[in-house]
Amino acid sequence: MPNTSILKTPVEDFVRDELTKAYPRMTFTEKPVPIGVKRDGSIAKHKFDAVSSDGTVIASIKSHSWKTSGGKIPSGKIGEIYQSLYFLSLAKAKTKLLIFTNKDTRDGFERIADGKVPSDVKIKYLQLPPKLQLEVTKVIRLASDEMKRLR
Protein backbone atom coordinates (compact mmCIF):
# COMPACT_ATOMS: atom_id res chain seq x y z
CA MET A 1 0.00 0.00 0.00
CA PRO A 2 1.37 3.45 -0.87
CA ASN A 3 2.67 5.37 2.09
CA THR A 4 0.70 8.63 2.15
CA SER A 5 2.64 9.81 5.22
CA ILE A 6 5.63 10.53 2.95
CA LEU A 7 3.75 13.64 1.84
CA LYS A 8 3.53 15.08 5.35
CA THR A 9 6.97 16.71 5.32
CA PRO A 10 6.97 18.41 1.89
CA VAL A 11 3.36 19.61 2.20
CA GLU A 12 3.76 20.92 5.75
CA ASP A 13 7.13 22.51 4.93
CA PHE A 14 5.48 24.35 2.01
CA VAL A 15 2.62 25.57 4.24
CA ARG A 16 5.03 26.73 6.95
CA ASP A 17 7.04 28.65 4.34
CA GLU A 18 3.84 30.32 3.10
CA LEU A 19 2.88 31.23 6.66
CA THR A 20 6.31 32.82 7.11
CA LYS A 21 5.58 34.98 4.04
CA ALA A 22 2.13 35.91 5.39
CA TYR A 23 3.49 36.74 8.87
CA PRO A 24 6.82 38.53 8.28
CA ARG A 25 9.44 38.39 11.03
CA MET A 26 8.10 35.03 12.21
CA THR A 27 9.23 31.51 11.50
CA PHE A 28 6.98 28.46 11.81
CA THR A 29 7.81 25.03 13.14
CA GLU A 30 5.94 21.95 14.27
CA LYS A 31 5.95 21.96 18.05
CA PRO A 32 3.92 21.22 21.19
CA VAL A 33 1.76 23.97 22.69
CA PRO A 34 0.19 24.00 26.17
CA ILE A 35 -3.55 23.22 26.04
CA GLY A 36 -4.45 22.49 29.64
CA VAL A 37 -3.44 21.09 33.00
CA LYS A 38 -3.21 17.38 33.82
CA ARG A 39 -4.58 15.90 37.05
CA ASP A 40 -1.08 15.85 38.52
CA GLY A 41 -0.75 19.60 37.91
CA SER A 42 1.68 19.32 34.99
CA ILE A 43 1.01 21.03 31.66
CA ALA A 44 -0.81 19.08 28.94
CA LYS A 45 0.49 19.81 25.44
CA HIS A 46 -0.51 19.05 21.87
CA LYS A 47 1.87 19.15 18.89
CA PHE A 48 0.60 21.50 16.19
CA ASP A 49 1.78 21.42 12.57
CA ALA A 50 2.79 25.09 12.49
CA VAL A 51 3.51 27.39 15.43
CA SER A 52 4.97 30.87 15.03
CA SER A 53 8.23 31.71 16.75
CA ASP A 54 6.40 34.02 19.17
CA GLY A 55 3.52 31.56 19.75
CA THR A 56 0.81 33.97 18.60
CA VAL A 57 -0.14 31.95 15.51
CA ILE A 58 -0.86 28.22 15.50
CA ALA A 59 -2.13 26.02 12.68
CA SER A 60 -3.25 22.51 11.91
CA ILE A 61 -2.64 21.42 8.33
CA LYS A 62 -4.93 18.99 6.47
CA SER A 63 -3.84 17.74 3.07
CA HIS A 64 -5.95 14.67 2.38
CA SER A 65 -8.59 14.22 -0.28
CA TRP A 66 -12.30 14.57 0.48
CA LYS A 67 -14.14 11.50 -0.80
CA THR A 68 -13.21 7.92 0.09
CA SER A 69 -12.03 5.52 -2.62
CA GLY A 70 -15.67 4.39 -2.86
CA GLY A 71 -16.88 7.97 -3.39
CA LYS A 72 -18.43 8.30 0.08
CA ILE A 73 -18.24 11.03 2.70
CA PRO A 74 -15.09 10.31 4.77
CA SER A 75 -16.31 9.99 8.36
CA GLY A 76 -12.81 9.11 9.65
CA LYS A 77 -11.26 12.18 8.01
CA ILE A 78 -14.07 14.37 9.31
CA GLY A 79 -13.43 13.08 12.83
CA GLU A 80 -9.74 13.86 12.46
CA ILE A 81 -10.54 17.41 11.35
CA TYR A 82 -12.89 17.91 14.32
CA GLN A 83 -10.13 16.60 16.59
CA SER A 84 -7.80 19.28 15.20
CA LEU A 85 -10.49 21.91 15.82
CA TYR A 86 -10.85 20.69 19.40
CA PHE A 87 -7.12 21.05 20.10
CA LEU A 88 -7.03 24.45 18.38
CA SER A 89 -9.91 25.56 20.61
CA LEU A 90 -7.91 24.64 23.74
CA ALA A 91 -4.76 26.51 22.73
CA LYS A 92 -4.15 30.11 23.69
CA ALA A 93 -3.04 32.01 20.60
CA LYS A 94 -4.03 35.25 18.93
CA THR A 95 -4.55 33.50 15.57
CA LYS A 96 -5.72 29.89 15.16
CA LEU A 97 -5.80 28.41 11.68
CA LEU A 98 -7.13 25.21 10.16
CA ILE A 99 -5.40 25.05 6.78
CA PHE A 100 -6.54 22.78 3.96
CA THR A 101 -4.39 22.12 0.89
CA ASN A 102 -7.25 20.41 -0.94
CA LYS A 103 -10.08 22.72 -2.00
CA ASP A 104 -12.68 19.91 -2.21
CA THR A 105 -11.83 18.86 1.34
CA ARG A 106 -12.11 22.43 2.60
CA ASP A 107 -15.42 22.98 0.79
CA GLY A 108 -16.86 19.63 1.88
CA PHE A 109 -15.88 20.13 5.50
CA GLU A 110 -17.27 23.67 5.57
CA ARG A 111 -20.64 22.34 4.34
CA ILE A 112 -20.75 19.63 7.02
CA ALA A 113 -19.37 21.80 9.81
CA ASP A 114 -21.50 24.89 9.13
CA GLY A 115 -22.09 26.50 12.53
CA LYS A 116 -19.91 23.93 14.33
CA VAL A 117 -16.50 25.61 14.11
CA PRO A 118 -15.17 27.66 17.05
CA SER A 119 -15.46 31.36 16.20
CA ASP A 120 -11.78 31.99 16.98
CA VAL A 121 -10.56 29.43 14.39
CA LYS A 122 -10.14 30.59 10.80
CA ILE A 123 -10.45 28.01 8.03
CA LYS A 124 -8.09 28.64 5.11
CA TYR A 125 -7.30 27.01 1.77
CA LEU A 126 -3.73 27.10 0.49
CA GLN A 127 -3.11 25.86 -3.03
CA LEU A 128 -0.02 23.71 -3.42
CA PRO A 129 2.45 24.42 -6.22
CA PRO A 130 1.76 22.28 -9.34
CA LYS A 131 4.73 19.93 -8.88
CA LEU A 132 3.88 19.18 -5.25
CA GLN A 133 0.17 18.85 -6.08
CA LEU A 134 1.04 16.32 -8.78
CA GLU A 135 3.01 14.30 -6.23
CA VAL A 136 0.13 14.43 -3.73
CA THR A 137 -2.43 13.45 -6.38
CA LYS A 138 -0.30 10.51 -7.51
CA VAL A 139 0.13 9.09 -4.00
CA ILE A 140 -3.57 9.59 -3.17
CA ARG A 141 -4.59 7.88 -6.42
CA LEU A 142 -2.30 4.92 -5.69
CA ALA A 143 -3.70 4.61 -2.17
CA SER A 144 -7.26 4.84 -3.46
CA ASP A 145 -6.62 2.18 -6.14
CA GLU A 146 -5.10 -0.08 -3.49
CA MET A 147 -8.17 0.31 -1.24
CA LYS A 148 -10.47 -0.57 -4.16
CA ARG A 149 -8.46 -3.77 -4.80
CA LEU A 150 -8.75 -4.76 -1.13
CA ARG A 151 -12.55 -4.70 -1.21
Side-chain angles (χ1 to χ4, degrees):
M1 176 175 235
N3 182 2
T4 56
S5 67
I6 62 168
L7 297 173
K8 179 177 171 49
T9 300
V11 168
E12 290 184 3
D13 284 349
F14 169 76
V15 173
R16 285 190 283 267
D17 287 346
E18 291 300 303
L19 285 170
T20 297
K21 292 174 189 173
Y23 296 91
R25 298 187 202 108
M26 290 188 205
T27 56
F28 287 81
T29 57
E30 177 183 57
K31 70 179 186 181
V33 171
I35 58 168
V37 179
K38 296 179 184 180
R39 283 181 277 181
D40 67 4
S42 62
I43 301 297
K45 295 182 178 186
H46 176 75
K47 190 185 328 181
F48 288 95
D49 300 318
V51 180
S52 65
S53 47
D54 67 358
T56 61
V57 181
I58 58 172
S60 287
I61 302 166
K62 301 296 170 203
S63 59
H64 45 64
S65 60
W66 181 237
K67 297 280 180 143
T68 66
S69 59
K72 299 189 180 193
I73 300 294
S75 60
K77 292 174 186 177
I78 293 168
E80 181 186 321
I81 296 167
Y82 275 122
Q83 180 182 36
S84 292
L85 283 173
Y86 172 71
F87 287 123
L88 282 166
S89 75
L90 295 176
K92 293 188 182 356
K94 180 180 175 185
T95 303
K96 302 175 190 183
L97 305 169
L98 178 61
I99 300 173
F100 291 94
T101 62
N102 181 299
K103 188 175 185 312
D104 291 339
T105 304
R106 191 265 330 254
D107 293 348
F109 182 73
E110 283 188 327
R111 278 190 303 275
I112 285 176
D114 189 19
K116 302 173 191 171
V117 175
S119 61
D120 64 340
V121 176
K122 295 177 186 128
I123 295 178
K124 300 284 186 186
Y125 164 68
L126 183 59
Q127 185 172 1
L128 297 174
K131 185 177 177 183
L132 183 54
Q133 184 60 61
L134 191 62
E135 229 180 295
V136 169
T137 301
K138 180 182 172 185
V139 171
I140 288 171
R141 187 178 310 116
L142 288 171
S144 180
D145 290 348
E146 183 68 24
M147 290 305 294
K148 287 177 185 174
R149 281 193 292 276
L150 292 174
R151 284 192 218 141

